[in-house]
């Protein structure tokens, strides 16, 4: 496939289960985490519930009907004001289709959805050393240096 082929961005819903599966394949390959994205996939019932929810957003970038990229995001309702923010959780483009503007197109579509949902910001994390992601997000927004902590939910005797 060449970069001259048109890309369409499509929001995924409960009837798009095959595209969701393809999107997970794309994420696994792009992140070099195939096992994470394929070894324990949710049931179709789970996917349908998630895709029909009012808090989850999945977008796929398609060329000739094939998934070449996509994103997963979550709308977070705020309590201090009547507004929400969008957390861009995963964004990936297949290696053969990078540097074609696909990631930017996905974010532009997410921005339209965010406006329709009255969100005031989209936020995203980038790993230190992921220079392409950092460059993309720097081009599109303001950088904040923060610390990220994973707090285990399993109860232990040491807690």
């Amino acid at each position: 496939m060449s970069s001259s082929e048109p890309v369409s961005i499509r929001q995924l819903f409960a009837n798009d289960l095959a595209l969701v599966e393809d999107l997970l394949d794309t994420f696994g390959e792009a992140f070099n985490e195939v096992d994470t994205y394929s070894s324990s996939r949710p049931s179709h019932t789970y996917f349908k519930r998630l895709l029909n929810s009012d808090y989850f957003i999945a977008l796929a970038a398609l060329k000739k009907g094939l998934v070449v990229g996509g994103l997963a995001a979550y709308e977070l309702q705020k309590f201090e004001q009547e507004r929400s923010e969008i957390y861009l959780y995963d964004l990936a483009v297949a290696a053969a289709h990078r540097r074609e503007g696909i990631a930017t197109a996905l974010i532009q579509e997410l921005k339209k959805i965010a406006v329709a949902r009255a969100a005031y910001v989209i936020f995203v994390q980038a790993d230190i050393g992921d220079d392409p992601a950092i460059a993309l997000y720097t081009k599109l927004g303001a950088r904040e240096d923060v610390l990220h902590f994973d707090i285990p939910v399993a109860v232990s005797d040491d807690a």
Side-chain angles (χ1 to χ4, degrees):
M1 290 190 207
S2 72
S3 63
S4 63
E5 294 173 6
V7 175
S8 63
I9 307 298
R10 177 173 168 179
Q11 186 169 356
L12 303 181
F13 295 101
N15 59 339
D16 295 314
L17 295 178
L19 291 175
V20 170
E21 298 278 353
D22 292 345
L23 182 57
L24 288 172
D25 290 340
T26 301
F27 285 159
E29 291 168 14
F31 299 145
N32 198 25
E33 293 185 18
V34 172
D35 191 53
T36 300
Y37 287 87
S38 64
S39 67
S40 188
R41 286 201 177 157
S43 67
H44 283 180
T45 301
Y46 179 91
F47 277 140
K48 286 180 180 183
R49 186 173 59 246
L50 184 64
L51 292 164
N52 277 335
S53 74
D54 60 356
Y55 61 85
F56 181 73
I57 303 161
L59 299 177
L62 304 167
K63 279 190 176 186
K64 291 187 174 180
L66 300 176
V67 174
V68 297
L71 65 76
Y74 296 87
E75 181 178 1
L76 305 173
Q77 298 290 319
K78 304 301 288 183
F79 74 96
E80 73 278 6
Q81 293 184 28
E82 286 189 34
R83 63 183 185 178
S84 64
E85 54 192 28
I86 306 291
Y87 175 44
L88 199 173
Y89 180 74
D90 271 339
L91 170 69
V93 176
H97 299 280
R98 292 183 185 149
R99 309 222 30 93
E100 297 177 12
I102 294 171
T104 300
L106 285 160
I107 292 171
Q108 293 303 329
E109 186 63 25
L110 183 60
K111 286 170 72 173
K112 292 176 189 175
I113 293 167
V115 167
R117 293 178 178 217
Y120 75 102
V121 71
I122 296 170
F123 71 100
V124 61
Q125 297 175 178
D127 292 330
I128 294 170
D130 188 350
D131 295 336
I134 292 169
L136 172 66
Y137 302 141
T138 299
K139 177 179 78 171
L140 297 173
R143 179 176 171 160
E144 292 184 29
D145 290 325
V146 298
L147 298 175
H148 170 104
F149 299 89
D150 288 335
I151 300 171
V153 295
V155 178
S156 71
D157 294 335
D158 298 335

